Amino acid sequence: MDIYRSFVENFHGIAFRRLLNDKIVLFEGMVKEISGYDKEEFMNKKITWKKLMHPDDLERLSENIHRLHVIRNYTTEREYRIKTKNGKMKWIHENLRRIDEKNQIYIEGTIVDISKMKNAELQLRESEVKRSEEQMQKEKLESIALLAGGIAHDFNNILTSVLGNLELMQMESLEGETQLLLTETLQATHRATNLTQQLLTFSKGKKPIKKTESIIQILDEASSFVLRGSNCKTQCIFEDLIPPINVDANQILQVINNLLINAKQAMEKGGIITISCSTIDINRIDTIPLPFGKYLKIAIKDTGKGIPKEIQSKIFQPYFTTKSRGSGLGLATSYSVIKNHNGHINFQSTKGVGTVFNIFLPVWDEAFVIEEKRNENSILPENMKVLVMDDDKAIHRMLSRIFKRYKYRMDSTYAGEEAIELYNQALLENTPYDLVIMDLTIPAGLGGEATAGEILRINPDAKMIVSSGYSNNEILANYKKYGFQAILKKPYTVEDLRKVINIIS
């Protein structure tokens, strides 16, 4: 008996024995510490343990309780929740066994508080679910990327030819109705261009082409463009000395534009959009799924109607939209852009109060040198000789018309083997090419990477521009590493072409 008493006194739980009619015979241990009630309150039936049990758990365990009453020598264990005297919810682990004696039937067992372990288990499960959802989101984006990238590549080739020819017609057309039609057609084509860019942004292999940029300038540009003429007001809260960041300015601008458009549309009667920017340190106590370090936090907050809870888990999914004229690509694209910048995007939304989107981008300690830009408004150099390598005949014809307008000589080829031969022959004849514009992907021959390598072997000082409608994850993101001086992303305009030639000439 002394051994039993010693066990009970040192046991971090409750040991009990009761009759089938719930009359308690023994109730010892950490009764008050676990339940908040004194032992005497249970012994005098002022409170019963069953009353403390969560109703859902009591219903769930009803079969278990029934077996204790009908099966001889039945043993079991169970987990459930109780509500303590101060209203706190706790998790309990209980071991039970039925003892059939000659004149009486007893139920005895132990009760242990497992709240700490259970809460840790639930947190781990929630974390695993969250990771699983992130993985599913990633897999969805990657599967769509295969289709999106291919469509965008072919479509961008078409748009390059359409844009160039429309601009040439606009330059030469008379004023009046024709000019108006051309302008409207160009505007529609630019909208199609924006759509393909959104497809490419989360297509497989689309990596940001980064340079050192001022996030304040990007935010100013986006807000002045998106909110011009609207009934929304902006409030900017910027921390002093915001550091520059290494980003693809066009992609980050696209993200900010998407978020501002959503904020504006969430406030049909107008309101205030707050744009804030600050630096934060993410450490082990933060729940943001990013490596520890210094980050730039951009927050865009509206005072709109909020995002309904039932769709909050879907808003970053491709093609999910609640708008009658939406493509469902805006937030999916934003998610992909920020991920590709090694950052994170999340949101909080309250019905009737508004929504805030938070963007986290890494701040780098290394100093990045902003490339010196030449005067983009200068006149194009004259009498240039250009070699074009592209597998699209329409692009050949369009570039030929443009260069003819600028009195350039242009030779063209459809694959790398012939481009190398033409380039070498021009050097031997002492009439070298001043510039080579080459497509990155040639299905039926040498592509841009291999061709560039051979041309550089012939002439290490060759000036080359790489062009593509599908962004390769390595070459376009690190074009200088492969010997190119500039990028011409399809679809491009006459003005884009002129700027690029000016920069490298």
Side-chain angles (χ1 to χ4, degrees), residues 93-104:
H93 183 276
E94 186 177 40
N95 281 299
L96 297 166
R97 66 171 178 165
R98 170 174 163 159
I99 299 173
D100 291 85
E101 296 183 349
K102 291 181 180 179
N103 300 321
Q104 198 60 265

Side-chain angles (χ1 to χ4, degrees), residues 245-379:
I245 52 175
N246 199 42
V247 295
D248 185 318
N250 289 332
Q251 288 190 11
I252 298 300
L253 183 63
Q254 186 179 2
V255 171
I256 304 300
N257 282 345
N258 286 335
L259 297 182
L260 288 175
I261 289 169
N262 286 347
K264 181 175 70 172
Q265 292 175 346
M267 301 186 296
E268 296 175 353
K269 297 180 180 179
I272 297 174
I273 298 176
T274 303
I275 305 172
S276 60
C277 189
S278 59
T279 53
I280 65 166
D281 284 306
I282 291 178
N283 53 45
R284 61 173 50 87
I285 65 171
D286 290 301
T287 58
I288 301 167
L290 287 171
F292 302 156
K294 191 174 182 181
Y295 290 82
L296 195 66
K297 180 183 178 182
I298 305 156
I300 297 176
K301 181 181 180 181
D302 66 57
T303 53
K305 53 192 175 184
I307 302 170
K309 281 190 176 181
E310 60 269 21
I311 67 168
Q312 287 187 7
S313 63
K314 302 177 182 178
I315 68 168
F316 289 120
Q317 293 180 7
Y319 305 117
F320 175 79
T321 182
T322 58
K323 303 173 187 176
S324 58
R325 297 183 63 187
S327 66
L329 289 175
L331 287 175
T333 299
S334 301
Y335 179 93
S336 183
V337 165
I338 301 305
K339 283 288 182 184
N340 284 340
H341 278 79
N342 301 314
H344 180 68
I345 180 170
N346 62 25
F347 71 95
Q348 294 87 40
S349 189
T350 305
K351 186 178 179 180
V353 176
T355 303
V356 56
F357 278 88
N358 303 300
I359 298 169
F360 303 88
L361 293 169
V363 173
W364 302 91
D365 293 330
E366 294 88 346
F368 292 89
V369 179
I370 298 177
E371 294 181 15
E372 181 182 350
K373 295 182 180 179
R374 299 191 182 188
N375 183 3
E376 294 178 346
N377 295 317
S378 61
I379 299 172

Side-chain angles (χ1 to χ4, degrees), residues 139-156:
E139 288 172 1
K140 283 180 182 178
L141 289 173
E142 287 179 351
S143 63
I144 279 183
L146 296 173
L147 175 64
I151 292 172
H153 171 263
D154 294 340
F155 198 39
N156 278 337

